[in-house]
Amino acid sequence: SDLRPDYNALTRIAYVREITGDTKGAIEMMENALVDSTGNAENTAWGLTELARLSFGNYRAQAELYQNEALKAYPNFAPALAGLAKIEMARGNT
């Protein structure tokens, strides 16, 4: 049997890492989860928006790329649109 963690397990691990202060580890787990999301556009979009959220503080340009990729995977995905709005607000564009 395959004991490798799947998308759901990896996203949960990412969340635990995030809430324990390991943002770098959370990003790594979300990147791994995205590999497992292939074929499910909504999971891909959600994973990308989570990566964007995790990256926002230190890597705003990367966060914007992730949000745009999420919208390519799943057009009009509300969390990605909200993430792009947050980026624009941070730039002073309200």
Side-chain angles (χ1 to χ4, degrees):
S1 70
D2 182 10
L3 297 177
R4 192 174 82 75
D6 65 0
Y7 175 84
N8 294 323
L10 291 168
T11 59
R12 286 180 178 96
I13 293 167
Y15 179 68
V16 169
R17 287 188 175 185
E18 177 188 4
I19 64 172
T20 59
D22 182 9
T23 303
K24 184 178 177 181
I27 290 170
E28 180 184 331
M29 284 299 105
M30 285 306 301
E31 288 171 341
N32 290 336
L34 280 171
V35 172
D36 269 8
S37 73
T38 305
N40 186 319
E42 190 171 7
N43 281 354
T44 298
W46 187 83
L48 287 163
T49 58
E50 285 298 295
L51 275 172
R53 187 181 57 74
L54 290 164
S55 301
F56 180 78
N58 296 319
Y59 307 102
R60 200 162 291 156
Q62 184 64 45
E64 185 173 19
L65 290 173
Y66 286 138
Q67 298 293 18
N68 285 314
E69 286 299 312
L71 290 171
K72 287 179 189 173
Y74 199 86
N76 298 315
F77 189 59
L81 293 171
L84 286 173
K86 182 178 178 180
I87 290 166
E88 287 302 315
M89 286 179 58
R91 291 181 177 144
N93 300 327
T94 56

